[in-house]
C-alpha cells in the first residue's frame, strides 16, 4: 500500500509540472449507452439507481431513426439510446457488444481546439467539430475514438441553456423515484486486450496529455486463480481519471478476459460514482433491487481496524453496518475509502458500477482487490467462465 501512495505523490507532482495543458477538461459531460430497449433501461436507472428524468429525443421530437432518454443525478448524466430501424448502424454496435457504454463525453471550453489538438496527435476522428442549434442556443461537439469502438466526445456548451443538447426536449415524467445520493463520476475504467495496456497508456499520454499516476501489476492484483494489470490515467487537473486494465496470466481465466470475450473487444468495464453517504446510498440501492457482489468472508471485516491504521479513529462508520451491506474499506496514507461493486447490469457479464465514498484516500482500493476478485471469481465459476 505504501507503494501506491508514493505513486500518487509522484504523479501529482508531474500533473502540476505539466502547466501547459493542451486539452483542458472541465469534467465529464455525459455517458451514452447503446442499449436494446432505452425505455426499459431508463425505467431501471430511475427506479433502481434513483436517476431523474431530464431530456428526451425521438419520434416526438422529429428524430426518426433512434430514441434517447437522458437521466440525471447530481452531476452525472446518462444517455440511453436505442435504434428505431433495422438499417441504423447502431444495430451493428448492439449486435457485437450488447448493451454498453458507447460515449464518454467530456465537457470542454473549446470543442474545436480539443478535436484539432487530439487528432493532430494521432487520434482517429469520430465526428468533426459540429455546431448544433435550437431555441436555447448552440453547442459545439466533436469526437474521437479511444479503445475499441468507444468514443470521447468533446462538448462545448457555454452558449447553451437548454435541458441537455439541441434537439432534446425536457422530459417531464409523473414517475420520479427519490434520488439515492449519487454525486459525480469518480472514474471510468477501460478493459483492453492482452498486452494492450501500455499502448493505451501511451495513447492517453500522447493524444490527451494525461499522466499515469498509479500502476498495479499482476503481482499486486491477483488471486490464487486469476490476475490483471492496471494503470490509472489522469488529466492535468485531476478531474478525469481513466484506469486501463489488461488481463494477466493466471491458473484460470482473468475477469478482464471474460469481459473482452463477452463484449467482443475492449470497452468500458465500470463506472465509479461518488456518494458522501455510502451506507444510505447502498441501503437504498439494495432496497430497490440493485445486485451487488457477495460479501467477503468474516476475516476481511476482522482485519479492517488493522488496515485503517492511523485512520482508525477517523472512521465514523460502524464496521458491523458496513459488513451488513458488504461495503469494502481501504486506506492509504491520506485517509480511507469505502467502496462496493454491483454485479454486471446487463445479461452479458460486462459493464458494472462501483459506488465509492472517499474520506481522504486517493487510491482505488488496492487493499480490496484480492477480496473483490475472489468474489468476482465465485460469480465467474457460476457462469462457467473462470
Ligand atoms: Fe474502480
Amino acid at each position: 500500500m505504501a507503494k501506491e501512495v508514493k505513486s500518487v505523490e509522484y504523479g501529482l507532482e508531474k500533473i502540476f509540472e505539466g502547466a501547459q495543458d493542451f486539452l483542458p477538461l472541465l469534467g465529464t459531460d455525459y455517458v451514452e449507452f447503446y442499449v436494446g430497449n432505452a425505455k426499459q433501461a431508463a425505467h431501471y436507472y430511475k427506479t433502481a439507481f434513483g436517476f431523474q428524468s431530464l431530456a428526451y429525443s425521438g419520434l416526438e421530437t422529429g428524430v426518426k431513426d433512434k430514441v434517447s432518454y437522458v437521466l440525471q443525478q447530481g452531476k452525472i448524466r446518462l444517455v440511453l439510446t436505442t435504434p428505431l430501424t433495422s438499417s441504423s448502424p447502431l444495430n451493428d454496435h448492439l449486435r457485437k457488444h450488447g448493451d454498453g457504454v458507447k460515449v464518454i463525453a467530456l465537457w470542454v471550453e473549446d470543442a474545436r481546439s480539443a478535436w484539432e489538438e487530439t487528432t493532430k496527435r494521432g487520434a482517429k476522428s469520430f465526428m468533426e467539430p459540429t455546431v448544433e442549434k435550437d431555441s436555447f442556443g448552440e453547442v459545439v461537439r466533436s469526437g474521437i475514438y479511444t479503445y475499441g469502438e468507444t468514443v470521447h466526445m468533446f462538448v462545448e456548451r457555454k452558449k447553451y441553456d437548454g435541458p441537455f443538447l439541441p434537439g432534446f426536449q425536457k422530459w417531464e415524467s409523473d414517475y420520479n423515484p427519490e434520488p439515492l445520493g449519487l454525486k459525480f463520476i469518480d472514474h471510468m475504467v477501460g478493459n483492453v486486450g492482452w498486452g494492450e495496456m501500455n499502448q493505451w497508456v501511451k495513447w492517453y499520454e500522447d493524444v490527451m496529455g494525461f499522466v499515469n499516476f498509479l500502476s498495479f501489476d499482476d503481482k499486486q492484483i491477483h488471486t490464487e486463480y486469476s490476475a490483471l494489470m492496471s494503470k490509472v490515467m489522469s488529466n492535468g487537473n485531476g478531474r478525469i481519471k481513466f484506469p486501463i486494465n489488461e488481463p494477466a496470466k493466471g491458473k484460470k481465466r482473468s475477469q478482464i478476459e471474460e469481459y473482452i470475450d463477452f463484449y467482443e473487444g475492449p470497452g468500458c468495464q465500470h463506472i465509479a460514482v461518488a456518494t458522501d453517504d455510502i451506507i444510505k446510498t447502498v441501503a437504498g440501492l439494495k432496497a430497490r433491487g440493485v445486485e451487488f457482489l457477495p460479501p467477503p468472508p468474516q476475516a476481511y471485516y476482522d482485519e479492517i481496524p488493522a488496515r485503517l491504521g492511523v485512520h482508525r479513529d477517523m472512521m465514523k462508520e460502524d464496521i458491523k453496518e458496513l459488513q451488513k451491506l458488504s461495503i469494502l474499506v481501504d486506506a492509504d496514507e491520506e485517509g480511507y475509502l469505502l467502496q462496493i461493486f454491483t454485479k454486471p447490469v446487463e445479461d452479458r457479464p460486462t459493464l458494472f458500477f462501483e459506488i465509492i465514498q472517499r474520506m481522504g484516500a486517493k487510491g482505488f482500493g488496492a487493499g480490496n482487490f484480492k477480496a473483490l476478485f475472489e468474489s468476482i471469481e465465485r460469480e465467474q465459476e457460476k457462469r462457467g467462465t473462470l
Side-chain angles (χ1 to χ4, degrees):
M1 214 169 301
K3 197 170 179 182
E4 179 184 341
V5 172
K6 251 183 239 157
S7 311
V8 172
E9 287 164 357
Y10 174 64
L12 289 178
E13 270 166 37
K14 263 177 84 177
I15 289 168
F16 292 132
E17 269 170 33
Q20 68 293 2
D21 190 355
F22 64 81
L23 183 62
L25 301 175
L26 304 170
T28 308
D29 196 281
Y30 63 88
V31 178
E32 182 172 18
F33 297 64
Y34 285 174
V35 296
N37 188 333
K39 178 179 265 192
Q40 291 190 2
H43 186 76
Y44 171 74
Y45 284 108
K46 284 173 69 171
T47 305
F49 283 81
F51 279 89
Q52 307 295 299
S53 303
L54 179 70
Y56 171 85
S57 96
L59 293 173
E60 296 81 352
T61 66
V63 177
K64 301 276 190 264
D65 61 342
K66 63 175 183 177
V67 58
S68 296
Y69 293 80
V70 189
L71 305 168
Q72 181 159 28
Q73 186 166 183
K75 291 179 179 169
I76 312 159
R77 276 196 293 242
L78 304 184
V79 182
L80 304 162
T81 298
T82 291
L84 291 172
T85 63
S86 63
S87 57
S88 167
L90 272 60
N91 291 300
D92 300 334
H93 198 280
L94 277 172
R95 189 182 309 115
K96 189 168 172 60
H97 304 297
D99 287 10
V101 171
K102 173 63 179 177
V103 177
I104 301 169
L106 303 165
W107 178 28
V108 296
E109 271 296 315
D110 186 341
R112 289 182 183 87
S113 147
W115 185 86
E116 277 156 19
E117 293 293 337
T118 51
T119 53
K120 188 169 84 186
R121 289 170 167 83
K124 184 182 158 200
S125 177
F126 173 73
M127 185 173 109
E128 284 186 24
T130 306
V131 181
E132 297 159 304
K133 290 182 187 179
D134 66 10
S135 59
F136 296 103
E138 66 169 58
V139 169
V140 187
R141 286 196 302 160
S142 61
I144 58 171
Y145 280 97
T146 172
Y147 45 79
E149 292 195 274
T150 316
V151 163
H152 287 312
M153 291 292 284
F154 300 116
V155 185
E156 172 189 333
R157 48 170 74 255
K158 53 181 180 271
K159 290 184 193 157
Y160 195 69
D161 63 359
F164 178 55
L165 289 175
F168 281 77
Q169 69 181 34
K170 195 168 172 12
W171 175 15
E172 305 272 12
S173 174
D174 294 331
Y175 177 61
N176 303 299
E178 279 290 296
L180 289 172
L182 303 179
K183 302 275 183 199
F184 58 89
I185 293 176
D186 185 275
H187 58 278
M188 286 182 71
V189 180
N191 280 347
V192 299
W194 291 95
E196 289 176 5
M197 177 181 68
N198 285 327
Q199 158 195 334
W200 285 102
V201 164
K202 190 166 162 30
W203 187 90
Y204 275 102
E205 286 171 349
D206 295 350
V207 171
M208 304 274 285
F210 280 37
V211 293
N212 169 215
F213 88 109
L214 271 178
S215 298
F216 308 99
D217 63 23
D218 49 345
K219 287 175 197 68
Q220 289 163 285
I221 314 184
H222 71 101
T223 65
E224 190 187 345
Y225 297 118
S226 71
L228 62 86
M229 294 192 277
S230 187
K231 287 190 175 175
V232 184
M233 304 308 293
S234 171
N235 79 316
N237 61 21
R239 284 184 206 176
I240 307 292
K241 287 183 282 300
F242 293 143
I244 306 289
N245 296 335
E246 75 172 31
K249 287 240 179 305
K251 279 191 218 163
K252 294 195 176 183
R253 185 150 70 153
S254 168
Q255 49 159 309
I256 308 307
E257 195 180 354
E258 185 197 36
Y259 175 101
I260 301 277
D261 288 349
F262 278 92
Y263 198 70
E264 297 191 18
C268 176
Q269 179 212 34
H270 74 266
I271 303 174
V273 291
T275 170
D276 45 29
D277 187 348
I278 198 166
I279 288 175
K280 203 171 159 200
T281 296
V282 172
L285 291 165
K286 286 195 169 175
R288 297 191 195 178
V290 175
E291 294 180 312
F292 290 91
L293 287 175
Q298 179 62 40
Y300 173 89
Y301 287 96
D302 295 340
E303 288 158 12
I304 284 179
R307 183 173 307 132
L308 281 168
V310 293
H311 308 301
R312 201 188 207 149
D313 299 335
M314 178 181 153
M315 190 164 104
K316 297 190 295 282
E317 296 78 10
D318 176 19
I319 293 178
K320 284 213 166 56
E321 204 163 1
L322 296 173
Q323 185 174 9
K324 209 168 73 190
L325 293 166
S326 326
I327 294 167
L328 308 175
V329 186
D330 195 23
D332 59 24
E333 282 172 19
E334 292 168 88
Y336 68 100
L337 63 81
L338 304 161
Q339 63 185 170
I340 188 168
F341 299 84
T342 71
K343 290 185 180 180
V345 290
E346 56 289 298
D347 293 303
R348 297 193 199 190
T350 53
L351 177 79
F352 59 88
F353 281 81
E354 171 183 350
I355 313 298
I356 184 166
Q357 181 180 349
R358 293 187 183 277
M359 302 299 287
K362 291 200 175 72
F364 291 79
N368 287 327
F369 287 166
K370 199 168 151 50
L372 169 65
F373 297 151
E374 283 169 351
S375 187
I376 292 176
E377 281 167 9
R378 287 192 288 273
E379 296 295 301
Q380 276 182 277
E381 186 80 67
K382 286 186 215 159
R383 295 193 281 260
T385 59
L386 183 61

